[in-house]
Amino acid sequence: MVIPVHDVNPVRRTPYVTYALIAANVIVFLYTPGLAGSVAGDSALSQLCHLHAFMDQYAAVPQELIHHRMPRLVPTGEVGAGPDGPGCVLGPPDYDKSPPLSVLTAMFLHGSWLHLLGNMLFLLIFGNNIEDRLGHVRFTLFYGACGFAAAYGFALVNEDSGDPLIGASGAIAGVLGAYLVLYPKARVWVLVPFLVFLPLRLPAWIVLGFWFVLQAAYSSGAAVPDAGTVAYAAHVVGFLAGMLLAWPLRPGTPPPPEPRRLLFGRQARPGW
């Protein structure tokens, strides 16, 4: 993968919603039980049990989204001992969970610092221009719509899965899809890992098109035999949803400014 670091596409207004989303995601991560040292003094197993209980309550679960079927037993957050040794205690849920609302809460949950920082980097670079084009209110609705489309799209192809679905990736994939439609020729500075990280300035259609092709390949199993814990199908659905929602705005979107050429030799010193 290439790592985007900056796009040459200035905005006309401050992207308050983008900044607020980033701040909210970071704050939620810091206060997620069992992550970022938020359960101070607890053992590793205790932190894990707290985390499992928290995720089961607030993450989106495909079988709950499609069948509205809640599990009879869920982690309680407590540690107990069984025939196979210590583990997390299961019990009947003591809360009422709304599956549609869990999609919203899941969009602010992340499983690790790497998961969080990767998502926030993409949102920071590409979200400001989409917010600038849509406006603050419409961008908020757009972000949420892409997140819901991604979660339910993933759930439809994994309807019997009981694994929690978390992360802002689906909504941010929608932002990337919209950026590809509205600003395909915008230049993006990226770092390409090739022995060392090489900085390159590439058109957005190459950067985002390559990203989408990889997600589609991973979700189909063509690139990796097992997707593991990454919901690649949600990325694909979110990206396509963002493209469809942004397409009507394409004719009225002004093109990004042409980046200045990199000058060398006498071109860089016109007085010589």
Side-chain angles (χ1 to χ4, degrees), residues 48-67:
L48 183 63
C49 293
H50 277 92
L51 179 60
H52 283 179
F54 184 84
M55 292 299 180
D56 270 47
Q57 182 172 356
Y58 293 105
V61 179
Q63 66 182 13
E64 296 174 5
L65 296 179
I66 302 302
H67 303 296

Side-chain angles (χ1 to χ4, degrees), residues 33-190:
L35 291 176
S38 55
V39 187
D42 283 358
S43 67
L45 179 59
S46 179
Q47 292 188 34
L48 183 63
C49 293
H50 277 92
L51 179 60
H52 283 179
F54 184 84
M55 292 299 180
D56 270 47
Q57 182 172 356
Y58 293 105
V61 179
Q63 66 182 13
E64 296 174 5
L65 296 179
I66 302 302
H67 303 296
H68 288 262
R69 184 174 67 238
M70 303 298 294
R72 294 187 306 104
L73 299 175
V74 297
T76 65
E78 302 297 325
V79 176
D84 299 323
C88 299
V89 175
L90 301 179
D94 59 355
Y95 52 83
D96 293 324
K97 183 177 180 180
S98 167
L101 184 59
S102 71
V103 175
L104 180 61
T105 55
M107 289 165 58
F108 294 90
L109 301 177
H110 292 84
S112 67
W113 276 110
L114 185 61
H115 187 200
L116 172 70
L117 295 178
N119 276 343
M120 295 306 101
L121 175 64
F122 276 81
L123 179 57
L124 179 64
I125 294 173
F126 300 106
N128 59 347
N129 291 106
I130 305 306
E131 181 178 352
D132 187 54
R133 180 65 181 90
L134 297 179
H136 305 310
V137 175
R138 285 201 298 175
F139 175 71
T140 304
L141 297 175
F142 168 86
Y143 184 89
C146 290
F148 271 82
Y152 275 95
F154 178 82
L156 283 173
V157 296
N158 298 275
E159 58 181 294
D160 294 323
S161 173
D163 296 330
L165 179 64
I166 61 172
S169 306
I172 295 171
V175 172
L176 304 186
Y179 198 101
L180 179 61
V181 167
L182 299 178
Y183 306 106
K185 296 181 179 180
R187 294 294 193 256
V188 181
W189 280 101
V190 299

Side-chain angles (χ1 to χ4, degrees), residues 8-24:
V8 187
N9 195 1
V11 296
R12 300 165 299 169
R13 68 187 99 189
T14 304
Y16 293 114
V17 175
T18 299
Y19 293 157
L21 288 170
I22 293 173

